[in-house]
Every structure is written in C-alpha cells, then in structure tokens.
Amino acid sequence: MKITTCINLSSTFFLVFLLKYIMADNLTPSELIDAITSFLRVIIEQLWYQIEVYPRESFDSCIFYDLEVKTTRHPLVKAYLDEFINSITNLFNDGIISKIYLEIFENNSLKYSFGISFNNSLILDQLRNDSQFLKSDKSNDLFNTFTIVNELKSLLYSVIVESSKLSKIEQNFGDFKLLLATTEDEMVSRNQNWILDKRLKQQTADDESTLNDVDLYPLKEVHLEYINIQGYIVSYK
C-alpha cells in the first residue's frame, strides 16, 4: 500500500487511496520507508519550483498530506526523480543512508543548499542488522500512521514556508547537484546523475566555518523513537 502519493483530487485513484489511508492505523517497515522517500521527492520538487530551477509553468498542482504542492510534469525530469528516489530507497533498505543534499547554483556559484540528515535513527540500525526486518508484512504499532504523517506534514510545511522566502535564480543560468552521504565507505552507486558524498566528518567543520557567510533557515525537526530527521536551507551571500 502506497500511502503518500501526490494526487489529483478529481482522480478515481484518490478514492482508493483515501480508503486505504483511513484504514491503515500502522505501517509496515517498507511502507514507512515509502512514506519518507515520497516525502523527500516532494521536498525536492518544492525547492525546484520556488527557486525556479525549472520553469514554473512546467509544474502542476496536487495534494500531498492535505497540502497543495507542485509536481513536475516533464517526463524526463520525472524519470530522473524516479531513479533518484529508487537509489535513496535502496540505501534506506540497507540501513546506510545518512544525509541528502540539494545544491543549487547560479552562474556557476553556489547560491542555495538544502540538507537533511537521518543520523541516530534506530530504524537504520535495525535495517542494517536484521535482514528479515524489511520483509515483514505486518504493521508495527511503533510506526503509527497518524504520528508519522503529521510529523512529515509539519516538516513539509516548514520547507514550503522557508523556501518561499528565497529569491529566484536567473533563468538559463541555474544548475543543481543532488548528493548522498552514507554510513559506508564503499561506493554503492556509479550513477553520475548524483554524487555519493563521503565528507561526513568534514561536513560539520565546514558548515561551522562558513556560518558568517550564509543565511541559515532551520526546518522543522522530526524526533520519533525510531527516526530522526533534521534539515536546513542555506542561502549563500
């Protein structure tokens, strides 16, 4: 069951989605990961839309967690995101995802950086150490649907609010990079569309040394017994 699809309210699928959503009190481990990765996809699209990495006319409106959001309708961009989210899902399934970055450039200079961290999340330890955990098709009382949806919804709302404060980049002069950081040393993907970043220990020091040169917008944090999500948006001066 996919509980976090961005949907058009007029679609027949929405009715099926709504019935499943109401009936599902708790999630399986796989459904929880699906909820989180679907949320990440929507975040990326909101940042692209607000900053105009892609033209706004190439986006449609849809409903996600009862919030109106924007989603790209360009088939190549959608395929790119599908592949990226599949890679994130695989890293989640292995329990080795650590951080995700979206860096946005203007005239070859870094203008904005979005970061999100899953460090110190107990579910990742469980996924790394128990190969059968992900295969469970039984919902877990710990993964309460109402709780996780409301936490992710608050985080999504903070992304929408904070990104709306950012200025647009110049058309035809913008670019971006998606970066992944893992808890493992080895490369787990050779796909050149994104970079598996290994600067985990250096990242904190780098961030602290450049705080005077940026505007920092902290995002709503998610702290549950099994998952911790912390995020920020940085605007470079």
Side-chain angles (χ1 to χ4, degrees):
M1 177 183 63
K2 190 176 182 66
I3 68 160
T4 50
T5 303
C6 191
I7 49 181
N8 185 309
L9 286 176
S10 63
S11 68
T12 303
F13 176 77
F14 172 69
L15 299 177
V16 177
F17 164 86
L18 185 59
L19 288 173
K20 289 183 177 180
Y21 174 81
I22 292 173
M23 294 173 63
D25 293 330
N26 302 304
L27 304 178
T28 66
S30 179
E31 289 168 347
L32 175 64
I33 292 172
D34 174 71
I36 295 170
T37 55
S38 298
F39 156 78
L40 292 172
R41 180 189 186 111
V42 173
I43 278 188
I44 292 169
E45 289 183 300
Q46 302 328 291
L47 293 168
W48 282 348
Y49 174 83
Q50 294 288 356
I51 303 170
E52 293 199 17
V53 172
Y54 294 108
R56 289 191 172 184
E57 55 267 26
S58 68
F59 289 80
D60 286 329
S61 296
C62 68
I63 299 298
F64 191 81
Y65 292 152
D66 296 325
L67 293 175
E68 181 178 340
V69 297
K70 304 298 179 180
T71 183
T72 180
R73 63 173 181 269
H74 193 289
L76 294 180
V77 179
K78 290 168 71 73
Y80 171 83
L81 267 180
D82 287 342
E83 191 174 358
F84 181 68
I85 295 302
N86 284 339
S87 289
I88 295 176
T89 300
N90 290 335
L91 296 179
F92 258 109
N93 291 346
D94 292 336
I96 61 173
I97 189 72
S98 176
K99 299 176 182 177
I100 299 171
Y101 304 100
L102 169 62
E103 296 183 342
I104 298 175
F105 298 82
E106 183 178 58
N107 294 314
N108 298 317
S109 297
L110 183 60
K111 187 172 179 67
Y112 299 115
S113 179
F114 162 77
I116 196 162
S117 168
F118 303 96
N119 288 347
N120 301 315
S121 293
L122 293 180
I123 190 174
L124 297 179
D125 295 334
Q126 185 76 20
L127 289 164
R128 278 197 305 272
N129 299 321
D130 184 355
S131 61
Q132 300 302 310
F133 180 65
L134 185 64
K135 299 177 182 178
S136 173
D137 58 359
K138 295 182 179 179
S139 59
N140 192 315
D141 291 342
L142 189 63
F143 307 151
N144 179 265
T145 303
F146 178 83
T147 301
I148 188 63
V149 164
N150 278 280
E151 289 292 317
L152 293 181
K153 181 178 176 179
S154 296
L155 177 49
L156 173 58
Y157 182 74
S158 74
V159 170
I160 294 172
V161 170
E162 296 301 334
S163 64
S164 68
K165 301 174 183 177
L166 306 177
S167 61
K168 306 170 189 175
I169 60 175
E170 290 185 54
Q171 284 294 311
N172 303 318
F173 292 95
D175 197 5
F176 70 90
K177 291 181 181 178
L178 283 168
L179 304 97
L180 302 175
T182 73
T183 57
E184 299 293 311
D185 291 331
E186 70 272 10
M187 277 290 191
V188 293
S189 173
R190 296 184 180 277
N191 193 317
Q192 295 304 306
N193 288 332
W194 44 84
I195 301 169
L196 286 166
D197 191 60
K198 294 299 164 35
R199 298 168 295 173
L200 292 178
K201 294 182 180 179
Q202 186 65 31
Q203 185 68 35
T204 300
D206 290 345
D207 289 347
E208 290 175 353
S209 65
T210 58
L211 283 180
N212 292 331
D213 301 322
V214 305
D215 291 323
L216 179 65
Y217 303 90
L219 301 172
K220 172 72 170 62
E221 297 181 0
V222 174
H223 291 297
L224 298 174
E225 186 174 348
Y226 52 88
I227 187 77
N228 290 310
I229 305 175
Q230 295 177 291
Y232 64 85
I233 300 174
V234 167
S235 175
Y236 293 87
K237 300 176 181 178

